[in-house]
């Protein structure tokens, strides 16, 4: 039931069209997913127009911009490639994020059907659907992303906290200490700071 | 650090003379002509300074231009969805000046006036509500000091020693005194469903930065804040209203807060699936790693704050904090962790806030491998990077609270290193 606490009578009721304008989130059960559809084919054209300049024609990423496709099977590698196909657990998140926050710099400009189409193309780029696929609110939840079971809830309380608690060593904690890595060897700290240092020395 | 007298020839001569002589104590003991900064009347002792109308809102004096935010361009694709770093190497105490407190945006720092501001509460509530900024100022307020640490702070250091300076390795953090309304008060005003398990919060910016927060935390200590360090939030920190989520990763401190939705399930938004999830060595990833564990950093000496004063008394200082409560103790090692001595806390640790520590010591030019190790009131002891890697591997990106080592060389220069 509702909380019964002292109320201050501040604020005013939100109008239905106001809630509709701002409440766009979609959860993994599909709650919030609007009616609509879009094809891989339409998505490819839209992606070319609005997304490829940063994310590449095949969602493979340009320069340092995020890669949206590829990397499956790399999560236990030294440098895992985390994409919608290799890492994301839910298609709903892709829909939700593209809808609300993409394209970067011109967010909230795609129509509902366009978002379905762009997401369909991202799925296609990850080899998860065929090129004639049409994504809709009816079938979106049927698509399982490869890493849907790849997440566990924070387990630090069990796996770490007891291990790293209690009175720590204060003396004779190790026999020897050697330097194993140096930041100066890598030399990637911004120049401005180095310039300042030289100037002051 | 001050370059205040660099354009004064006599001062420079005096300094270089001291440097040649070496140890400061020897100079002080030698008979020599008086310091002209004392024996000659200086301009500031004769003429006039600025009037009170010169600076309605002041900036730091020009000699402190080193104390600024810095960014590392190669870290991100562009400076809009990016990070910069607080100059913690040059600060003392615990309160971060807002003007150099780090920023992390996903679609830039937006400009949102109080007049244009609206906050909506909807979802599983009796009455979905809209508040103006003026409404918010009429609710009972609280004031608390908390740290905001980016989940990615120290994240570049997982695989090794990379960036050379405490600002870069540990500067995704600030600590402010916030004034705001308990989130609980606003949820009660809307009549939230007490069986609801989650709230989803999002910002007014294009990225929205939506995050799911369990109701237990929302009802505990989360603040809807509109003042920081006594004044309005800075634009880049969420003006006019941001969320303050004590002890939890900075990403959840949603800026330009525009909507709070009461829900029975988490949204699993982009910022809690693709990002802010921590991949372990076996490829499985932790999600909802909200709390920031106990951590510390020696801010001076450090690579950007080398020892320049010669041998003798040395103040080793730094910061410690924990998302699980108050810092109870900080130990310092000068030999890479072989032996430790307990530092002095500037004042007793406060829950989920930065704590300043000092070790007043003597340095005679010996090389040091400086480390700090924080303990919090739960008994948790800050781990080494090796201990963290043993559990997590090297691909976690976030939540690197390892013990940092600075190699202080005999010339006083310090470097970011890893040790065995």
């Amino acid at each position: 039931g509702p909380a019964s606490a002292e109320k201050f009578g501040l604020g005013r009721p939100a109008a239905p069209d106001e809630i509709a304008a701002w409440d766009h989130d979609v959860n993994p059960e599909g709650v919030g997913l609007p009616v609509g559809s879009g094809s891989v084919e339409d998505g490819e054209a839209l992606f070319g127009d609005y997304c490829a300049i940063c994310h590449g024609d095949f969602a493979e990423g340009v320069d340092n911009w995020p890669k949206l496709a590829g990397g499956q099977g790399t999560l236990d590698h030294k440098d895992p490639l985390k994409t919608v196909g290799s890492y994301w657990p839910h298609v709903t998140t892709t829909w939700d994020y593209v809808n609300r926050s993409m394209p970067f710099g011109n967010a909230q400009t795609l129509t509902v059907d366009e978002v379905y189409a762009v997401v369909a193309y991202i799925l296609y780029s990850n080899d998860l659907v065929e090129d004639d696929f049409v994504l809709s609110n009816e079938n979106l939840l049927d698509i399982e992303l490869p890493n849907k079971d790849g997440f566990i809830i924070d387990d630090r309380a069990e796996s770490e906290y007891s291990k790293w608690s209690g009175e720590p060593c204060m003396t004779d904690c190790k026999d020897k200490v050697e330097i194993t890595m140096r930041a100066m060897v890598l030399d990637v700290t911004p120049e401005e700071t180095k310039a300042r240092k030289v100037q002051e020395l | 650090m001050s370059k205040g007298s660099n354009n004064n020839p006599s001062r420079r001569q005096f300094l270089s003379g001291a440097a040649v002589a070496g140890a400061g104590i020897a100079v002080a003991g030698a008979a020599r002509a008086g310091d002209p900064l004392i024996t000659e009347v200086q301009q500031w002792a004769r003429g006039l300074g600025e009037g009170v109308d010169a600076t309605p809102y002041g900036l730091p004096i020009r000699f402190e231009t080193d104390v600024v935010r810095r960014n590392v361009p190669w870290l991100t694709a562009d400076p809009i969805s990016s990070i910069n770093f607080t100059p913690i190497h040059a600060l003392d105490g615990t309160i971060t000046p807002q003007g150099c407190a780090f920023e992390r945006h996903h679609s830039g720092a937006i400009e949102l006036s109080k007049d244009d501001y609206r906050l909506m509460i909807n979802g599983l509530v009796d009455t979905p509500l809209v508040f103006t900024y003026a409404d918010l100022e009429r609710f009972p307020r609280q004031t608390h000091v908390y740290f905001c640490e980016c989940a990615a702070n120290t994240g570049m250091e997982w695989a090794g020693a990379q960036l050379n300076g405490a600002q870069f390795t540990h500067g995704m953090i600030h600590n402010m005194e916030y004034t705001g309304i308990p989130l609980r008060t606003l949820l009660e005003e809307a009549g939230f469903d007490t069986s609801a398990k989650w709230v989803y919060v999002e910002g007014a910016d294009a990225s929205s930065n939506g995050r799911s927060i369990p109701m237990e935390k929302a009802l505990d200590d989360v603040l809807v804040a509109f003042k920081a360090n006594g004044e309005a939030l800075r634009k880049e920190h969420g003006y006019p209203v941001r969320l303050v989520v004590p002890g939890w990763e900075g990403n959840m401190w949603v800026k330009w807060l525009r909507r709070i939705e009461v829900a029975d399930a988490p949204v699993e938004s982009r910022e809690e699936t693709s990002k802010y999830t921590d991949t372990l060595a076996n490829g499985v990833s932790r999600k909802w790693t909200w709390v920031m564990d106990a951590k510390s950093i020696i801010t001076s000496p450090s690579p950007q704050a080398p020892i320049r004063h010669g041998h003798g008394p040395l103040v080793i200082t730094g910061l410690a904090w924990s998302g699980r409560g108050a810092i109870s103790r900080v130990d310092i090692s000068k030999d890479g962790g072989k032996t430790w001595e307990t530092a002095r806390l500037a004042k007793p640790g406060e829950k989920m806030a930065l704590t300043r520590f000092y070790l007043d010591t003597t340095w005679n030019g010996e090389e040091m491998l400086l480390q700090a190790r924080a303990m919090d009131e739960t008994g948790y002891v800050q781990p080494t990077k090796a201990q963290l890697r043993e559990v997590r591997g090297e691909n976690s990106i976030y939540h690197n609270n390892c013990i940092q080592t600075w190699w202080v060389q005999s010339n006083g220069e310090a470097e970011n290193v890893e040790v065995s």
Side-chain angles (χ1 to χ4, degrees):
Chain A
S4 56
E6 181 200 358
K7 302 217 170 154
F8 297 88
L10 294 169
R12 56 148 178 97
D17 64 335
E18 293 174 329
I19 296 172
W22 275 9
D23 182 352
H24 290 157
D25 58 83
V26 179
N27 78 9
E29 278 101 61
V31 176
L33 207 54
V35 173
S37 66
S39 66
V40 169
E41 190 181 355
D42 288 346
E44 181 176 24
L46 290 162
F47 201 88
D49 288 346
Y50 300 123
C51 320
I53 190 168
C54 295
H55 295 297
D57 288 336
F58 307 100
E60 79 283 14
V62 172
D63 298 333
N64 212 7
W65 293 100
K67 298 166 174 57
L68 309 183
Q72 287 188 37
T74 66
L75 296 180
D76 58 354
H77 293 196
K78 183 167 173 53
D79 291 307
L81 174 54
K82 298 182 179 181
T83 70
V84 172
S86 71
Y87 191 64
W88 291 38
H90 312 295
V91 182
T92 50
T93 308
T94 313
W95 200 97
D96 176 77
Y97 185 68
V98 170
N99 179 53
R100 187 176 22 233
S101 298
M102 286 289 134
F104 188 66
N106 199 24
Q108 304 192 73
T109 53
L110 298 176
T111 66
V112 165
D113 288 343
E114 286 173 336
V115 175
Y116 278 106
V118 166
V119 174
Y121 182 70
I122 293 170
L123 294 172
Y124 169 73
S125 299
N126 280 285
D127 302 319
L128 297 170
V129 298
E130 300 298 320
D131 61 2
D132 60 352
F133 182 73
V134 178
L135 182 70
S136 73
N137 59 298
E138 300 285 334
N139 64 10
L140 187 139
L141 291 185
D142 298 337
I143 296 165
E144 290 192 344
L145 293 183
N147 199 41
K148 74 181 176 63
D149 297 322
F151 295 82
I152 57 169
I153 294 175
D154 184 3
D155 66 345
R156 283 175 290 176
E158 298 79 44
S159 60
E160 297 181 359
Y161 289 162
S162 62
K163 192 180 293 192
W164 300 331
S165 295
E167 184 59 30
C169 178
M170 295 299 285
T171 55
D172 300 322
C173 301
K174 22 175 156 166
D175 292 336
K176 60 173 188 170
V177 174
E178 282 172 2
I179 292 172
T180 54
M181 289 196 83
R182 296 182 53 186
M184 294 289 271
V185 174
L186 210 61
D187 199 22
V188 290
T189 309
E191 288 295 326
E192 178 206 354
T193 311
K194 280 192 287 189
R196 185 192 68 81
K197 236 179 118 176
V198 169
Q199 194 185 345
E200 283 200 357
L201 275 174
Chain B
M1 270 321 229
S2 168
K3 290 173 227 157
S5 343
N6 275 2
N7 48 12
N8 179 331
S10 62
R11 171 69 171 161
R12 272 164 60 182
Q13 201 168 22
F14 171 70
L15 283 174
S16 62
V20 169
I25 288 169
V27 170
R32 56 177 172 77
D35 179 353
L37 283 168
I38 298 169
T39 59
E40 294 171 15
V41 177
Q42 300 296 313
Q43 175 56 28
W44 55 80
R46 176 180 289 132
L48 304 174
E50 280 181 346
V52 296
D53 56 349
T55 314
Y57 198 115
L59 289 170
I61 195 165
R62 62 190 171 94
F63 314 129
E64 295 294 319
T65 50
D66 180 49
V67 188
V68 290
R69 299 166 180 143
R70 292 190 171 81
N71 75 328
V72 178
W74 56 262
L75 278 177
T76 52
D78 83 337
I80 303 295
S81 180
S82 193
I83 187 85
N84 64 25
F85 300 88
T86 303
I88 56 172
H89 64 289
L91 302 177
D92 210 317
T94 58
I95 295 296
T96 313
Q98 292 197 81
C100 64
F102 87 102
E103 304 167 68
R104 201 292 186 239
H105 319 302
H106 293 80
S107 51
I110 60 165
E111 187 175 272
L112 178 56
S113 73
K114 289 176 180 172
D115 284 346
D116 292 341
Y117 181 77
R118 298 289 185 274
L119 175 63
M120 181 185 292
I121 297 189
N122 74 313
L124 302 176
V125 295
D126 259 3
T127 313
L129 294 175
V130 170
F131 299 108
T132 62
Y133 180 84
D135 292 334
L136 296 183
E137 286 201 335
R138 298 172 65 189
F139 285 99
R141 295 170 209 169
Q142 293 185 4
T143 292
H144 300 282
V145 176
Y146 296 120
F147 73 81
C148 173
E149 182 186 18
C150 180
N153 200 20
T154 322
M156 300 81 75
E157 303 289 311
W158 269 111
Q162 280 220 64
L163 289 162
N164 208 31
Q167 179 171 21
F168 301 108
T169 59
H170 289 76
M172 297 181 193
I173 193 165
H174 55 60
N175 192 66
M176 301 189 190
E177 183 192 68
Y178 293 98
T179 299
I181 309 155
L183 176 54
R184 178 181 200 117
T185 304
L186 297 183
L187 292 170
E188 285 171 346
E189 188 71 15
F192 69 98
D193 184 332
T194 53
S195 67
K197 296 284 191 292
W198 297 84
V199 297
Y200 179 72
V201 287
E202 65 179 8
D205 62 316
S207 83
S208 96
N209 198 48
R211 288 289 310 246
S212 306
I213 297 177
M215 185 59 87
E216 189 181 21
K217 179 70 172 177
L219 296 178
D220 181 14
D221 57 3
V222 176
L223 287 180
V224 174
F226 42 79
K227 294 282 170 68
N229 293 351
E231 62 181 353
L233 298 169
R234 294 292 170 98
K235 173 179 75 176
E236 60 271 30
H237 297 141
Y239 182 95
V241 177
R242 84 172 306 164
L243 211 61
V244 167
V245 191
W248 288 21
E249 60 187 10
N251 177 256
M252 306 177 84
W253 294 48
V254 172
K255 297 187 285 190
W256 314 292
L257 179 71
R258 85 167 191 188
R259 194 171 67 89
I260 299 158
E261 179 180 347
V262 178
D264 52 16
V267 170
E268 304 232 18
S269 69
R270 187 254 195 181
E271 306 294 336
E272 56 202 11
T273 54
S274 170
K275 307 299 176 190
Y276 308 100
T277 50
D278 314 352
T279 302
L280 303 170
N282 63 2
V284 170
S285 304
R286 291 173 175 164
K287 66 176 180 181
W288 303 340
T289 48
W290 299 311
V291 174
M292 302 306 291
D293 288 325
K295 188 168 175 177
S296 65
I297 181 66
I298 291 172
T299 52
S300 179
S302 67
Q304 296 160 286
I307 303 171
R308 292 275 159 74
H309 55 54
H311 302 171
L314 169 69
V315 174
I316 297 172
T317 187
L319 294 164
W321 62 96
S322 171
R324 294 171 66 212
I327 289 294
S328 54
R329 188 173 116 190
V330 179
D331 297 329
I332 307 273
S333 176
K334 297 173 185 167
D335 56 13
K338 283 189 199 168
T339 57
W340 297 84
E341 48 194 314
T342 298
R344 173 170 61 90
L345 304 186
K347 58 180 179 176
E350 294 171 26
K351 286 181 186 298
M352 288 86 87
L354 292 191
T355 298
R356 173 64 57 177
F357 63 82
Y358 300 105
L359 185 71
D360 307 300
T361 189
T362 302
W363 181 68
N364 288 314
E366 66 276 21
E367 285 193 14
M368 295 187 286
L369 291 168
L370 283 183
Q371 299 182 335
R373 181 178 67 190
M375 296 171 65
D376 69 23
E377 62 182 325
T378 71
Y380 176 93
V381 182
Q382 183 184 0
T384 64
K385 202 188 285 184
Q387 287 175 312
L388 283 169
R389 285 182 185 143
E390 196 180 325
V391 175
R392 306 186 194 170
E394 293 184 1
N395 289 330
S396 288
I397 301 176
Y398 307 107
H399 293 281
N400 186 349
N401 65 320
C402 72
I403 290 172
Q404 171 69 43
T405 309
W406 303 131
W407 176 29
V408 179
Q409 294 154 62
S410 55
N411 63 2
E413 293 294 322
E415 181 177 343
N416 173 13
V417 298
E418 281 190 14
V419 295
S420 58

